[in-house]
Amino acid sequence: MPARPDVLDLTATAKRIGIKKPSVLEAVDRGRLKRRADGRFDLAAVDAFIASRGHVRGGARRPRTGAKPLGSAPAAPAPATATTAASKPPTLAALPPVVLAGGIFADRAAAELARDSYMARLRQLEYEEKAGRLVEVAKVQAAIFEACNSVRTRLLAIPVECAPAIARLKTPTEVQDALTKAVVEALEELSISFASEVEP
């Protein structure tokens, strides 16, 4: 098949982007770079991928030494949609396991990806905490302990409250009805108490 200036093979694509071939295949698997049916890459798609990588890191990529344009100009990255922290949380950058090779980053691109992922996750945690959807484990444990203690105390008070009235009853049915009523009233009191504590 004759070579086309607007179509690159895997080796040429990796050289143009400035990363290794496994990293190119990783970008394909993650849907960040589109591959043709014949296994090659359109030059426009490669240049758009290069532009998007520079945009994500907050600046334009420096041109590689010896890189020559092979045809069309790089496609400009799509403008980012302005959103506020209150309306939309930061998007977490997925960090695939293949980024690390024996505890050492395979290349600079992999290290930058890990750094970006860490910063995105940190911003996500900060957002969740400010939005009131992230609570300290110690506070949750303390609230559960307090609730269970309240239930225990209230249920243990039922025999003391009901003993005089139950002692005057004559049939098991009457005793059962009296105990059921006392338990239901105690649970309703606890529900009202818990609801008032969680109201803003």
Side-chain angles (χ1 to χ4, degrees):
M1 181 181 294
R4 291 175 50 184
D6 58 340
V7 177
L8 306 176
D9 60 14
L10 179 59
T11 301
T13 299
K15 182 177 180 181
R16 184 169 182 81
I17 298 175
I19 59 179
K20 296 182 179 180
K21 288 188 284 187
S23 298
V24 175
L25 298 177
E26 178 186 319
V28 173
D29 293 338
R30 296 178 59 195
R32 297 180 59 194
L33 180 60
K34 187 175 181 181
R35 195 174 190 180
R36 293 163 50 93
D38 60 4
R40 296 185 296 172
F41 300 84
D42 288 324
L43 176 63
V46 174
D47 286 342
F49 174 73
I50 295 172
S52 67
R53 293 178 75 239
H55 176 72
V56 168
R57 288 197 291 269
R61 289 176 57 84
R62 288 182 291 179
R64 301 177 309 282
T65 304
K68 298 180 180 180
L70 299 180
S72 59
T81 304
T83 56
T84 62
S87 61
K88 184 178 180 182
T91 301
L92 291 181
L95 186 60
V98 294
V99 168
L100 295 179
I104 301 176
F105 293 108
D107 50 34
R108 181 174 180 177
E112 291 174 347
L113 176 61
R115 179 200 62 193
D116 294 343
S117 176
Y118 171 80
M119 295 304 298
R121 292 177 185 277
L122 184 60
R123 288 194 297 269
Q124 175 72 12
L125 290 176
E126 294 173 351
Y127 170 84
E128 296 289 350
E129 183 178 4
K130 292 179 180 179
R133 295 200 291 263
L134 187 65
V135 184
E136 294 181 12
V137 174
K139 292 182 179 179
V140 176
Q141 292 175 336
I144 294 175
F145 175 81
E146 184 177 352
C148 292
N149 191 49
S150 298
V151 173
R152 176 181 178 275
T153 302
R154 184 64 185 89
L155 293 181
L156 288 176
I158 293 177
V160 178
E161 297 174 354
C162 299
I166 291 177
R168 295 192 295 269
L169 300 177
K170 298 179 179 180
T171 66
T173 301
E174 292 177 339
V175 174
Q176 179 179 343
D177 291 342
L179 290 175
T180 300
K181 180 180 178 181
V183 171
V184 170
E185 290 176 352
L187 294 177
E188 288 179 349
E189 291 176 9
L190 290 170
S191 297
I192 294 173
S193 175
F194 294 156
S196 64
E197 292 178 0
V198 299
E199 286 181 355

